Amino acid sequence: MDIGAGLSSLWSGGLIYIIPFLFVLTTIVFFHELGHYLVARWSGIKALVFSIGFGPELVGYNDRHGTRWRLAAIPLGGYVKFLGDENAASVPDHAAVARMDPADRAGAFPTASVGRRAATVAAGPIANFILAIVIFAGVAFVEGRVVGDPVVSDVRAGSPAAEAGFKPGDLVVSADGRPIAYFSDLQRYVSARPDTPITMIVERGGQPVELTVTPRVETQTDGFGNSYDVPVIGLVATNDGSSFRVEEMSALESLGYGFSQTWYVTERTVDFLGQIVTGRQSADQIGGPIRIAQVSGQVSTIGFSALLNLAALLSVSIGLLNLLPIPMLDGGHLMFYAYEAVRGRPLSERIQEIGFRIGLALVMLLMVFAFWNDISGLV
């Protein structure tokens, strides 16, 4: 498929791609910015604009607090602009603050204490994690979760598991000393350890057997034709109805499940980024808006709960992305505030300006790289 045909295929999907994509991205962006907005309000900082999207305004209104709520034409993000900000990235406008009267200056973002500014900035990513917890917990509470016992139905010939001595009927008990309760636990543990030996205990004929297996990275294709590099060992789960089942969960159990799922996604995302840095994973798996639109459309065909779970996954990813210590992102602002808290004074305006320019360049480079991966994926 050439690029033109790929884009044509994406466009021909029409609403199948666009509506799920807008739902997922708008939900994530709204809650991220809502975190910034609410903590700012609680801290006495005035918000001038709450925008979903960038560019020309499509619709909007002013609330009684003087905040302009707007929906913009380019739905690829959002921002909250506070009093005293020069732009949507919360770069301080010191000249404007100097011209303010005392009443306005008291509600300006740059004049707030470093603690209030840090809390306001951190609230955005934190809101992303809270959203993920709520979604995971809500879906689990309503639908339960599908679980399967870690029983081996088959061992693929020539696979790492076959070489390690696994046999059909083995019950996996632990991996590197960690208990394995469900087959999904085994999959998760293996997927995080490419080319890393894992010591497993299996129960065979009522007796414990120790086996050592090293996951091998292979390219796999999902039901939608998307290819991924995944560490595998070659074990096939049993499809026995008594082994795979739906477990109902109480509200408290669902909440705990939401926390554990969010932590797992966070851990895997950080690990994945680390493997990219060390060369153990390919950076071509980083996607941008086109890939998100594709995946959103594909996942929406499975059901609304699957689309919600995708939103939770992406919410964690966006929360982590914003915590990177890059000026222009929330993590960069927090880095500046940490310096200010330790030294008792902020960085000079000149150094901050240079930092924001470098941050802008890095963010633009990441966007171009992700967009290039998206286009390459259509070829």
Side-chain angles (χ1 to χ4, degrees), residues 134-147:
V134 170
I135 290 176
F136 284 134
V139 172
F141 179 72
V142 172
E143 298 188 353
R145 61 169 178 164
V146 178
V147 297

Side-chain angles (χ1 to χ4, degrees), residues 3 18 20 25-26 30 42 45 82 90 94 112 121 130 132 138 167 209 229 235 254-255 266 271 292 297 306-307 374:
I3 293 178
I18 295 173
L25 195 61
T26 301
F30 174 77
W42 296 334
I45 298 170
F82 300 111
S90 285
H94 296 288
V121 168
I130 293 174
K167 295 181 179 181
V209 178
D229 291 334
L235 294 180
S254 298
L255 185 60
T266 301
D271 183 63
I292 293 174
L307 190 63
D374 289 351

Side-chain angles (χ1 to χ4, degrees), residues 12 16 21 24 33 53 61 86-87 107 118 123 126 134 149 168 205 221 227 229 231 237-239 259 276 297 318 365:
S12 66
I16 294 176
F21 169 70
V24 167
E33 301 305 334
Y61 76 98
E86 181 179 329
N87 52 40
I126 290 173
V134 170
D149 296 329
T221 303
S227 296
D229 291 334
T238 179
N239 57 6
F259 273 99
I276 288 178
I318 289 178
L365 182 63

Side-chain angles (χ1 to χ4, degrees), residues 42-61:
W42 296 334
S43 300
I45 298 170
K46 183 176 181 179
L48 300 178
V49 179
F50 187 112
S51 180
I52 301 298
F54 300 100
E57 180 179 302
L58 299 178
V59 293
Y61 76 98

Side-chain angles (χ1 to χ4, degrees), residues 113-317:
S113 67
V114 65
R116 288 190 294 158
R117 279 177 282 142
T120 299
V121 168
I126 290 173
N128 283 128
F129 294 117
I130 293 174
L131 175 63
I133 292 170
V134 170
I135 290 176
F136 284 134
V139 172
F141 179 72
V142 172
E143 298 188 353
R145 61 169 178 164
V146 178
V147 297
D149 296 329
V151 178
V152 178
S153 172
D154 190 21
V155 182
R156 293 190 177 124
S159 67
E163 296 170 0
F166 281 86
K167 295 181 179 181
D170 285 347
L171 172 66
V172 181
V173 177
S174 66
D176 291 334
R178 299 188 181 188
I180 301 295
Y182 304 112
F183 201 87
S184 58
D185 295 339
L186 178 61
Q187 291 173 313
R188 288 181 173 185
Y189 196 80
V190 168
S191 66
R193 289 161 178 79
D195 303 315
T196 303
I198 301 174
T199 300
M200 295 190 185
I201 303 296
V202 302
E203 184 179 305
R204 181 183 299 168
Q207 299 297 320
V209 178
E210 181 178 305
L211 302 171
T212 300
V213 61
T214 301
R216 179 189 303 153
V217 177
E218 296 181 0
T219 300
Q220 295 188 342
T221 303
D222 63 20
F224 300 107
N226 303 309
S227 296
Y228 303 95
D229 291 334
V230 183
V232 298
I233 58 176
L235 294 180
V236 180
T238 179
N239 57 6
D240 183 357
S242 63
S243 293
F244 276 87
R245 59 199 177 276
V246 177
E247 287 188 349
E248 295 184 356
M249 307 180 74
S250 68
L252 188 59
E253 289 172 332
S254 298
L255 185 60
Y257 177 75
F259 273 99
S260 66
Q261 282 291 96
T262 301
W263 174 254
Y264 169 72
V265 175
T266 301
E267 192 176 39
R268 288 294 293 118
T269 303
V270 172
D271 183 63
F272 172 72
L273 294 175
Q275 290 182 22
I276 288 178
V277 173
T278 58
R280 298 171 67 189
Q281 286 279 6
S282 173
D284 62 10
Q285 296 189 61
I286 297 176
I290 295 177
R291 188 173 297 183
I292 293 174
Q294 279 186 306
V295 174
S296 298
Q298 293 165 349
V299 169
S300 68
T301 64
I302 301 175
F304 186 61
S305 61
L307 190 63
L308 285 174
N309 278 322
L310 174 64
L313 288 168
L314 292 175
S315 187
V316 172
S317 297

